[in-house]
Amino acid sequence: MSARRQTSAPLLTAILLAACTSAAPPADDRVVADEAARATQAREGGAATTATVSQPLEAAPAPAPVDAPPIEPAPPCPAAVADAPTALFDDTVLIRPPVGVELVEMTPALARSLAPTTSACDRVVTHMLVGLVEDEPARTLVDLRDQIAAATDLPAEALTWTETREQANRLEGAYAVRATAGGAPARGWFVISRMHGVAAWVQIEAAVADFDALAPTLKDSGERLLIVPRG
């Protein structure tokens, strides 16, 4: 391809030069043409056109930037979770997902929804994760939460926690993720519970526009997180 370009470019240049040379009138003919144009201009009383250089048009002013309208919070929908719990990790964890969401075990300690799912009041749960880890009594639940958040690609520099409530063996709260180069903004609900030597956690996420409507459902699902004693 590069050889063809090297061959055709000089040939094309030569053809264009030949065409321009053959189209140019002899000097005498150009004088006659100029005189005829001047005579026409004198008769019509207009400005000379043959030697007029068109002036560049002024660029139109750029439109003023329009701020994106703020996202109006959607009114909360009644909580709607599955009628029966889903048993995970050899029946160690029970959880009732938001209605419509199905969980699939990816490993012996991690389950997730496979795709965004329409749930309560036709709002979309973008993803749901449920996990199980060995408890580390020396670590606080906040430390465990932050460790899990980092492991599930919640960027610490763009993450904000709100509605945090901590009990003796349970921590829950809402989170918001700002838009980053790697993803869109999102909001979610996180719960972690420790009991019987393990810690179970759930992370349920929605788009910013859907979170307020789904909040009762996400919180109700988190409340249904249960660790079953190992036999």
Side-chain angles (χ1 to χ4, degrees):
M1 182 64 73
S2 57
R4 290 183 57 189
R5 287 177 180 170
Q6 293 172 358
T7 303
S8 61
L11 180 60
L12 179 60
T13 302
I15 293 172
L16 290 175
L17 288 174
C20 293
T21 303
S22 62
D28 292 343
D29 291 344
R30 286 200 299 271
V31 171
V32 173
D34 289 344
E35 291 296 330
R38 291 191 184 95
T40 301
Q41 174 241 328
R43 287 196 304 271
E44 296 178 355
T49 59
T50 57
T52 300
V53 178
S54 60
Q55 298 298 321
L57 297 177
E58 294 184 2
V66 178
D67 293 334
I71 297 176
E72 294 293 334
C77 296
V81 297
D83 293 335
T86 298
L88 300 169
F89 318 133
D90 198 21
D91 297 336
T92 301
V93 173
L94 301 179
I95 181 77
R96 291 197 185 196
V99 64
V101 176
E102 295 185 6
L103 297 170
V104 177
E105 289 190 23
M106 309 303 291
T107 73
L110 179 67
R112 64 171 300 165
S113 58
L114 296 182
T117 305
T118 301
S119 188
C121 61
D122 294 329
R123 300 287 177 157
V124 176
V125 173
T126 51
H127 78 259
M128 179 175 181
L129 300 173
V130 181
L132 185 69
V133 296
E134 292 296 326
D135 190 18
E136 300 178 40
R139 303 197 67 179
T140 68
L141 288 174
V142 171
D143 288 339
L144 286 173
R145 179 200 67 184
D146 293 345
Q147 180 183 17
I148 293 166
T152 55
D153 295 328
L154 292 179
E157 69 280 2
L159 187 62
T160 303
W161 293 97
T162 58
E163 300 183 58
T164 301
R165 186 176 66 175
E166 185 172 4
Q167 301 171 348
N169 292 307
R170 189 180 183 89
L171 175 71
E172 60 186 10
Y175 65 86
V177 183
R178 299 193 309 274
T180 64
R187 294 179 67 188
W189 186 253
F190 185 95
V191 177
I192 183 169
S193 178
R194 61 177 10 152
M195 192 175 294
H196 309 305
V198 295
W201 56 271
V202 58
Q203 180 190 115
I204 320 175
E205 196 164 288
V208 173
D210 287 347
F211 179 82
D212 289 308
L214 285 172
T217 294
L218 308 190
K219 294 177 181 180
D220 190 30
S221 180
E223 286 289 333
R224 309 299 185 101
L225 177 66
L226 179 64
I227 301 174
V228 179
R230 292 175 173 176

